[in-house]
Amino acid sequence: MMQLSPEHEDLRRTVEDFAQKEVAPVIGDYYIREEFPYDLVATMGEMGLFGLPVPEEHGGMGGDYVALCVALEELGRVDQSVAITLEAGVSLGIMPLVRFGSDEQKQRWLPDLAAGRTLGGFGLTEAGGGSDAGATRTTAKQDDGDWVINGSKAFITNSGTRITSHVTVTAVTGQTAGKREISAILVPSGTAGFTVAPSYSKVGWNASDTHELAFDDCRVPEENLVGQRGKGFAQFLSILDEGRVAIAALATGAAQGCVDESVRYARERQAFGAAIGTYQAIQFKIAEMEARAVTSRLAWQHAAEKMAAGVPFTKEAAIAKLVSSNAAMDNARDATQIFGGYGFMNEYPVARQYRDSKILEIGEGTSEVQKMLIAKRLGL
C-alpha cells in the first residue's frame, strides 16, 4: 500500500475531521430534501479542496492528483453526494482547462473554480450514446467568429447550481478524412440558447446536482474551443482515465464507510442475549467487507502511483474503477443486511450508501467498459 507523504496524511486527517464533524451530522437532511449543500461546498472551497491539483499561478494549491484522491476517499466514507460534487467539480469541471485550456481561459475561469466559488460541468453523455461516447450527435458549426451549438447532453453533474459557471461540451465540428471530428467547447452558464432542464429524480446521490442540457443555436466565441480542434475525443479519454482513479478513491471510501458503520452497529446491537458482532456469521461478513475495501485502496493507489510517474495507467485506472465500484456495491448490500430493518431507513448512512453505490458501476465508464479496456490492454 502506498505510504502517504506527511502532507497527504495531514490532508487526510483534515478532510476526515471535516467529513465526520461537519458533513455527517447534516447531510442526511439535505439528502431527504434533495437539496444541494451550498454551505458544505463553500467550506470545501475555503479548505482548498477544489484547487488541490490546480497550479498556484491559477489560484490552486499546486498539489497533485493523489491529494484529490485522498480527500475523496475520506468524503466518500461519509457521503457520496458531497464527494461526487468535489470529484466532478475537479476532474470534469477543472481538469480539462488545466490540461488543455488556453492561457486566457485558465486566467479567466480557474481562480474561482479552484476556490470553490464556482463549479464547472463536462457535457459528454447523450441520451442515445452513453458508453458509446464517440457517437456524439451534438454539433458545433463556425459562423461569423462563433461556434453555433445544437444538441443535448444527459446526466451532467454540477451543471445547474446557482454557482455553476460553465459546461465544457463535446460536439461534432466537422469531418476529417471521412471521420467525424469531435471538439470540446466551453459554454458559459446563461448563454442564450443554453437551457438547463429541471433536476432529475434520482435513486441516489440525492444531494448532488444533475441535469439534462439542451443547446438550440447556442452561440459562443470561437476562442471558447478547449484544446485543439478535432482532439476533443482524445482529450476526454485522458480526462476519464484520471477521473476513474478519483472515482475509485471515492468508491473505496464508500466501501470503507460501510465497514465503519457495520463494526459500530455490530458492537452495539443486541440479539439473542449478545452483541451481534460476537456471532461468526456477522464477523465473517464484515471481514470480507474489510478485505474488499483494502483491495480497492491498493488498486486506486497503484493506479495513482503510475499516473504520478507519468507512465501509461489506463489499465490500472480501469482495474481500480472496476474493483472499487464492485466493492462499494457489495459492501453496501452487506451493511444493509447487517443493519436489518434499520438498514432500509434513509436516516441511516448505510441506506444512503446502498442507494448511492449502484451508480459507481455505471458513471464515468460502466463496469463492462472497464472490462473491455482491461482486455484490450492485455492484447485481446
Side-chain angles (χ1 to χ4, degrees):
M1 186 176 295
M2 178 190 297
Q3 181 66 44
L4 295 182
S5 69
E7 293 79 14
H8 286 152
E9 180 57 30
D10 287 345
L11 172 67
R12 191 200 64 76
R13 289 200 195 97
T14 298
V15 178
E16 178 186 31
D17 189 67
F18 166 72
Q20 298 292 339
K21 293 181 179 178
E22 298 190 45
V23 177
V26 302
I27 195 59
D29 289 337
Y30 281 106
Y31 197 92
I32 290 173
R33 296 194 306 266
E34 299 187 6
E35 181 181 329
F36 189 76
Y38 287 100
D39 54 345
L40 296 176
V41 171
T43 301
M44 289 194 292
E46 293 165 1
M47 292 169 64
L49 300 188
F50 286 94
L52 282 171
V54 179
E56 292 181 11
E57 61 263 33
H58 298 302
M61 303 294 288
D64 56 20
Y65 216 78
V66 173
L68 173 65
C69 293
V70 167
L72 287 170
E73 181 176 335
E74 290 303 321
L75 290 172
R77 286 175 66 179
V78 170
D79 179 73
Q80 292 188 42
S81 291
V82 172
I84 196 59
T85 298
L86 175 63
E87 190 280 332
V90 178
S91 70
L92 300 179
I94 290 177
M95 295 312 292
L97 292 172
V98 171
R99 300 292 189 219
F100 308 111
S102 66
D103 289 340
E104 191 278 331
Q105 288 169 345
K106 292 176 181 178
Q107 292 167 10
R108 178 178 175 183
W109 301 101
L110 285 180
D112 283 341
L113 290 165
R117 292 187 291 267
T118 60
L119 291 171
F122 192 80
L124 170 65
T125 303
E126 298 185 2
S131 296
D132 186 10
T136 298
R137 294 182 179 179
T138 298
T139 62
K141 299 181 179 179
Q142 289 177 299
D143 179 66
D144 195 24
D146 291 335
W147 291 106
V148 182
I149 305 171
N150 284 281
S152 63
K153 299 292 179 178
F155 316 130
I156 309 305
T157 306
N158 293 343
S159 58
T161 74
R162 64 171 182 254
I163 59 172
T164 298
S165 62
H166 76 282
V167 175
T168 302
V169 300
T170 53
V172 178
T173 51
Q175 297 271 341
T176 302
K179 294 184 179 180
R180 298 185 324 146
E181 174 188 89
I182 296 178
S183 305
I185 301 170
L186 187 149
V187 182
S189 298
T191 301
F194 173 22
T195 304
V196 179
S199 296
Y200 289 102
S201 175
K202 297 177 292 189
V203 170
W205 286 2
N206 285 356
S208 71
D209 179 80
T210 321
H211 298 266
E212 183 177 6
L213 311 177
F215 303 90
D216 184 11
D217 286 339
C218 175
R219 304 180 74 98
V220 298
E222 286 184 346
E223 56 265 28
N224 282 27
L225 180 72
V226 178
Q228 297 180 44
R229 176 172 177 167
K231 299 294 185 181
F233 194 75
Q235 290 172 194
F236 97 76
L237 287 177
S238 67
I239 290 295
L240 284 183
D241 278 346
E242 295 181 350
R244 284 165 183 156
V245 181
I247 286 288
L250 187 162
T252 298
Q256 190 66 60
C258 289
V259 176
D260 299 342
E261 292 295 322
S262 296
V263 168
R264 180 190 60 76
Y265 187 75
R267 287 171 174 166
E268 297 174 355
R269 178 75 162 93
Q270 298 284 316
F272 306 104
I276 64 172
T278 62
Y279 299 122
Q280 198 172 65
I282 300 298
Q283 293 174 353
F284 281 10
K285 194 179 291 289
I286 294 176
E288 289 180 353
M289 292 167 64
E290 175 71 1
R292 294 186 196 117
V294 171
T295 302
S296 297
R297 188 172 298 111
L298 290 169
W300 84 248
Q301 291 184 352
H302 177 56
E305 283 183 317
K306 298 203 77 169
M307 177 171 57
V311 298
F313 64 99
T314 294
K315 183 183 78 171
E316 289 73 18
I319 290 172
K321 171 72 164 54
L322 178 64
V323 168
S324 62
S325 59
N326 287 342
M329 192 69 236
D330 289 345
N331 278 15
R333 183 180 59 251
D334 283 350
T336 301
Q337 191 72 17
I338 290 168
F339 271 68
Y342 293 110
F344 204 62
M345 301 297 116
N346 281 327
E347 64 186 278
Y348 287 86
V350 295
R352 294 200 307 273
Q353 295 284 20
Y354 186 62
R355 291 174 63 174
D356 290 346
S357 292
K358 181 57 193 173
I359 190 60
L360 296 171
E361 298 179 316
I362 299 171
E364 294 208 33
T366 63
S367 294
E368 291 75 16
V369 166
Q370 306 316 310
K371 293 173 185 177
M372 290 167 56
L373 290 170
I374 295 165
K376 184 177 180 179
R377 291 310 185 278
L378 292 174
L380 299 175

